[in-house]
Structures are given as C-alpha cells and as structure tokens.
C-alpha cells in the first residue's frame, strides 16, 4: 500500500534543491500545500499543467486576481496550483465568455465557423452556467477516457450505436407535445430512449417501448443516469422481459447509488458496467476500469485534490478541482465542480494503468453532505453504503431538517417485507449515532429534483468548505 503523502514531507528537500520556492505569502502566512496520493504523472502532464497555469495567470482575465497567490516558477507545478483559489460557477458567470477565452482566440469567428458554441447546464439558478462548448475537444476527451476501461476500448469505435437513457432536461430531446417516434429521437449513432421530462410520468407502455427499441436498435453501449436505468431495470425484472444485452453499460450524469447499480446488474446479467465521471465544463475526468477503480483521464484533465479534515473522513475523502488540458479555446483552472471523491489506497491497480490519480469512488456532491449530531460530515456515499444494506429499498432520499432531525423517504416493491422502515432506521442510527432522531416514510415513488437528477441526501442548511476542508491544503 502506498501511503498518502502530503508534499510537506518533502519541504526540506525542496528548500535544498531550490531556495527560491517560497512557501509563505507576502504577509508571512503559510501557503496551502499540494496533497499527493503517491502516484506519478507523465512529463506531458506536468508540461500541460504548467502551460495552462502560466497562460491563465498571464493572459486570461478570470485569473488576474490570482496572480499574488502564485509562488512562482521556482516552485514545482503542484505547489503552484495548490496555492491558488478555486474557480466557482459564480466566477464563470462573471467572466463569461471573453474572460475565459485563451489569448489570440476570436470568439465571433469561432462561433461563426461552428468550432465552438454556447451550452447551458441544467440545475437551479445558482448552479446554472453557460459554457463555451468545443465538440472537437469533447470528443477527444471522451475517446481518451475509453482507454481507461478495456471492455469499452474494445467495443467503442466512435461510430458505434449507442442508446442513451437520460432526463431530456439535461441531454437529448424533449417531447413537448407527447411522445416522439423513434426516428425523431435518433441523432447520428445515438438513440435517445426517453423524451418524457419526469420519470413519475413514465408509463409501463413507455418502459415496454424502451425494451423493444433496445431489441431493435441493438446498441453496443447503453449509457445513462443510474437512477433512470434502474427504473428501466426494475421494469425488465418485474416483466421478465427479454432484452438485448449491450456490450457495456456506462453510468454517468449523477452519483451511482449501489442500490441502482444492483438493480441494473439484475436486469443485464453479465454486461460490463463502468462509471464515467465528468462534467459539462471539464469533459471526461475519471473512468472506472475493469477492476472497479476510477482512473484519471490525465491527457485532458488535471485534478487537484483537497482533503477533508480527519474527523470528516480525510485525508482519503476530499473535493476535486478540475483544470482542462489541451483545450483549444478555453481556460478553466481549478474549477470547483462541487463533487467529492475518495482516493484509492490499495496500491497499484491490477489493471496496470498508471500515470494519473486513482479513486475508489465518487462520494457525491458537496451540497449533499449531511452532518451527524456530533458534527461529523457524512457524504452521500456513506449514506448510500448504509442504506444499500437494506436490499429491498428501490429508491430513497434522506433529508437532514436540522441538527439531529432526519427524514428518510423511500420506495420499495410491493412484495417487500413489512418492517423495511425499522431496518432502514437501524442502519441510519448506526451511521448517525444514537442521538439522531430519524423519521422514516414509505412512498410510492421518490421524485427527482427540478434539475432532473436524483438527490440521495441533503441537509436543509449549508455545510461550508471551511468546515470540511483541511486548511493545510486549501486557501479558505
Ligand atoms: Zn484499474
């Protein structure tokens, strides 16, 4: 096992080798340090990271205020990145579009030629961002991510037929005046299986249509939100339907609940499943390999990891900041996408891949962290691990109303045993402690958020980064 190594351990060596690297700022305060997992990166990654950072600080308006934080080229590149603030969605809104453009790029020409266009992300008003979209870079980032999973790199050609099950609020086509025929939901090699905005409006007939379209379209890859694929999967199992097995299923767009993954595996036995983690802003960032670990797509994305304090699950758990590499148009540096990750501490992956960060998993969104009555932070993944032990739960959402008040809403199949409520309360008490007051409510269906995505847990109050993050590694 490779221990997690904060760079601080190398501080003395750093001083001997290069007396110019100043780890304190002008006011004499200690700069935040980089946190390393102990993996090595190829020279091209270091070069691309350096080029992106220096260009951003020198020539991109969004980062002008960051210059005083940069300890300068005498420090190694990870130390320079670690000393900087993060880029928020609010910053992107404030500087869009010209303040995020690389020097020498002509926005009007790019838009006119079709090399770039603007895309809006979904979500609440606070989450919504318009981004500069470059399809060429996005496709290259996706292709590179396939190389991180042997099964997908074997079957994906770029032109392979792919069925997609997502919320049309996020991707695809909305059927505003009812259902759309199949040919109107096909674009290039993609078939969008769903045009209905809310899964509460999905009928058995619509789910039967999805099964029949999978059988006729025969996708090589089936991709979608795990929560939506799970609804289809439960329908397939309930109906005993015969369905064409795709070459692989890719889970994306939201945190994959273990409950949903289990249901998808039941409906598609033997089909390889892989989680792909990315964002509209930063492309394809991590891909799950055939051994279940998430490898960084290091050719297209730099990831900086800021660990939580020990009492909140650090240093293995922390937030990820994303920097796009090799992007022809945009400068996106240390973007706080709002997601949390768990570093993999099991040493080299049996798949043999190196040259990037390795995760055990994504822990969910920072806004979905809840607190135990004793103040410990619990990520969505911890809540999910606990509730996955109650194997008859189909869907759930946990809300922390106030200090020690929690409410679990869950749905379970008609044949579920009677005291699911008691079993769910017991696993949550084990997680949150004896002082937690947990109300459990069984419902017919757990609705998704207005964004179209499922939220498995949330607190009714904000949990700030300053509360969670270890101040040695983050500028707070
Ligand atoms: Zn691996």
């Amino acid at each position: 096992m490779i221990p997690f190594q904060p760079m601080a351990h190398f501080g003395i060596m750093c001083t001997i080798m290069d007396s110019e690297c100043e780890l304190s700022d002008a006011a004499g305060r200690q700069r935040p340090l980089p946190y390393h997992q102990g993996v090595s990166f190829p020279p091209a990654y270091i070069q691309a990271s350096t080029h992106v950072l220096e260009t951003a600080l020198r020539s991109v308006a969004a980062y002008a205020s960051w210059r005083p934080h940069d300890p300068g080229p005498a420090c190694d590149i990870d130390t320079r990145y670690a000393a900087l603030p993060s880029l928020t969605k609010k910053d992107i809104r404030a500087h869009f579009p010209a303040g995020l453009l690389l020097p020498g790029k002509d926005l009007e020409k790019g838009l006119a030629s079709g090399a770039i266009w603007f895309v809006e992300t979904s979500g609440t008003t606070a989450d919504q961002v318009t981004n500069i979209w470059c399809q060429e870079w996005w496709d290259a980032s996706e292709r590179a991510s396939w190389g991180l999973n042997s099964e997908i790199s074997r079957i994906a050609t770029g032109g392979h037929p792919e069925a997609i099950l997502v919320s049309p609020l996020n991707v695809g086509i909305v059927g505003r005046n009812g259902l759309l025929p199949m040919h109107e939901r096909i674009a290039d090699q993609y078939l969008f299986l769903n045009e209905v905005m809310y899964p509460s409006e999905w009928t058995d007939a619509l789910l039967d249509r999805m099964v029949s379209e999978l059988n006729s379209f025969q996708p090589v890859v089936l991709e979608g939100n795990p929560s939506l694929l799970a609804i289809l999967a439960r329908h397939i199992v309930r109906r005993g339907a015969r369905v064409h097995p795709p070459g692989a299923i890719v889970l994306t767009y939201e945190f994959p609940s273990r409950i949903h993954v289990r249901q998808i595996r039941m409906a598609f036995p033997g089909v390889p499943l892989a989680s792909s983690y990315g964002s509209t802003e930063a492309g394809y960032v991590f891909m799950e390999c055939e051994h279940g670990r998430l490898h960084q797509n290091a050719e297209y994305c730099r990831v900086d990891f800021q660990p939580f304090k020990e009492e909140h699950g650090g240093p293995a758990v922390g937030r990820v900041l994303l920097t796009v590499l090799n992007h022809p148009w945009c400068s996106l540096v240390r973007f706080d996408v709002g997601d949390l990750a768990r570093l993999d501490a099991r040493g080299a992956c049996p798949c043999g891949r190196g040259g990037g960060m390795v995760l055990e998993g994504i822990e969910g969104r920072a806004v979905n962290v809840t607190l135990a009555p004793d103040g410990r932070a619990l990520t969505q993944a911890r809540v999910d691990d606990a509730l996955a032990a109650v194997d008859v739960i189909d869907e759930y959402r946990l809300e922390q109303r106030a200090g020690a008040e929690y409410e679990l809403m869950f749905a379970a199949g008609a044949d579920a045993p009677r005291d699911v409520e008691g079993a769910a309360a017991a696993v949550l008490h084990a997680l949150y402690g004896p002082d937690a007051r947990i109300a459990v409510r069984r419902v017919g269906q757990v609705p998704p958020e207005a964004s179209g995505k499922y939220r498995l847990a949330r607190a009714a109050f904000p949990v700030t980064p300053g509360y969670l993050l270890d101040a040695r590694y983050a500028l707070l």
Side-chain angles (χ1 to χ4, degrees):
M1 178 174 134
I2 302 164
F4 296 113
Q5 277 289 8
M7 274 303 277
H9 291 190
F10 302 127
I12 295 167
M13 195 166 74
C14 178
T15 310
I16 293 166
M17 282 166 58
D18 193 341
S19 58
E20 301 297 314
C21 180
E22 186 46 72
L23 294 176
S24 303
D25 66 13
R29 287 179 301 243
Q30 172 76 45
R31 294 185 198 277
L33 294 166
Y35 188 81
H36 284 284
Q37 192 179 15
V39 296
S40 59
F41 290 92
Y45 183 78
I46 316 283
Q47 281 158 18
S49 293
T50 307
H51 176 71
V52 163
L53 181 69
E54 293 188 340
T55 305
L57 292 176
R58 191 175 53 236
S59 317
V60 182
Y63 309 99
S65 66
W66 290 17
R67 286 175 201 147
H69 295 287
D70 177 23
C75 294
D76 72 83
I77 193 63
D78 294 330
T79 301
R80 293 179 72 185
Y81 269 86
L84 299 172
S86 59
L87 185 76
T88 62
K89 288 187 175 177
K90 198 173 156 197
D91 295 330
I92 293 182
R93 282 195 291 270
H95 292 283
F96 178 87
L100 297 159
L101 215 57
L102 288 172
K105 291 291 171 184
D106 186 323
L107 190 71
E108 297 307 321
K109 274 192 190 158
L111 290 167
S113 71
I116 52 169
W117 59 89
F118 296 155
V119 295
E120 237 174 75
T121 59
S122 58
T124 59
T125 313
D127 278 345
Q128 263 174 7
V129 169
T130 308
N131 293 288
I132 298 169
W133 184 267
C134 174
Q135 190 69 42
E136 191 187 343
W137 181 84
W138 179 266
D139 290 345
S141 165
E142 181 179 22
R143 271 194 303 277
S145 78
W146 294 338
L148 302 172
N149 180 294
S150 300
E151 203 54 49
I152 293 170
S153 63
R154 192 177 64 78
I155 60 176
T157 58
H160 60 271
E162 192 165 319
I164 299 176
L165 183 55
V166 292
S167 166
L169 290 169
N170 304 143
V171 188
I173 301 149
V174 183
R176 296 201 183 276
N177 302 309
L179 300 181
L180 300 170
M182 184 173 171
H183 70 267
E184 287 184 28
R185 286 179 283 108
I186 293 178
D188 301 323
Q189 76 269 34
Y190 303 107
L191 165 65
F192 293 95
L193 289 168
N194 167 48
E195 70 276 45
V196 178
M197 278 199 272
Y198 299 104
S200 54
E201 294 163 8
W202 290 10
T203 59
D204 279 352
L206 180 72
L207 289 160
D208 284 339
R209 188 195 76 183
M210 290 182 195
V211 172
S212 121
E213 289 183 356
L214 284 173
N215 289 339
S216 60
F217 190 72
Q218 306 223 332
V220 167
V221 171
L222 169 60
E223 180 184 285
N225 290 53
S227 64
L228 301 184
L229 287 167
I231 296 175
L232 175 63
R234 295 199 296 272
H235 179 81
I236 289 169
V237 171
R238 206 164 44 235
R239 282 271 210 256
R242 290 170 71 90
V243 59
H244 166 78
I249 297 176
V250 176
L251 308 177
T252 186
Y253 305 111
E254 63 186 9
F255 173 82
S257 164
R258 283 171 58 167
I259 291 174
H260 293 151
V261 170
R262 188 164 58 211
Q263 293 161 356
I264 297 163
R265 283 195 196 283
M266 272 175 76
F268 296 93
V271 175
L273 233 65
S275 231
S276 171
Y277 170 80
S279 81
T280 309
E281 296 84 2
Y284 292 76
V285 182
F286 287 97
M287 171 65 102
E288 184 178 358
C289 78
E290 56 280 12
H291 291 275
R293 304 190 195 185
L294 288 147
H295 292 272
Q296 182 187 350
N297 190 12
E299 199 182 336
Y300 288 89
C301 194
R302 174 187 170 88
V303 181
D304 288 288
F305 182 83
Q306 294 182 316
F308 277 8
K309 293 170 186 160
E310 219 174 298
E311 62 267 34
H312 300 315
V317 173
R319 78 171 175 184
V320 287
L321 302 178
L322 310 179
T323 299
V324 300
L325 303 179
N326 298 310
H327 199 291
W329 287 86
C330 264
S331 174
L332 193 88
V333 181
R334 286 171 70 77
F335 173 54
D336 180 9
V337 66
D339 289 321
L340 307 172
R342 178 178 292 271
L343 296 177
D344 193 290
R346 293 170 287 183
C349 184
C351 77
R353 290 181 182 87
M357 191 180 283
V358 188
L359 303 181
E360 196 179 310
I362 296 294
E363 289 277 308
R365 297 188 60 69
V367 291
N368 296 349
V369 163
T370 52
L371 301 180
D374 62 8
R376 282 175 298 125
L378 293 160
T379 61
Q380 230 175 314
R382 297 284 72 79
V383 176
D384 193 63
D385 283 348
L387 287 167
V390 187
D391 60 5
V392 293
I393 291 180
D394 283 345
E395 293 174 339
Y396 70 85
R397 184 161 71 218
L398 179 80
E399 300 207 17
Q400 182 173 17
R401 301 270 183 221
E405 305 283 341
Y406 307 82
E407 187 191 28
L408 177 75
M409 186 197 297
F410 78 91
D415 52 351
R418 288 175 78 181
D419 195 22
V420 187
E421 287 87 343
V427 295
L428 290 176
H429 267 300
L431 186 67
Y432 286 95
D435 296 334
R437 289 188 294 279
I438 298 164
V440 179
R441 189 156 61 96
R442 187 169 177 161
V443 295
Q445 195 173 39
V446 178
E449 299 282 300
S451 67
K453 297 184 185 188
Y454 271 89
R455 191 195 285 259
L456 301 174
R458 78 166 160 203
F461 48 87
V463 181
T464 62
Y467 182 79
L468 300 169
L469 294 172
D470 185 330
R472 288 175 295 173
Y473 307 106
L475 193 65
L476 295 168

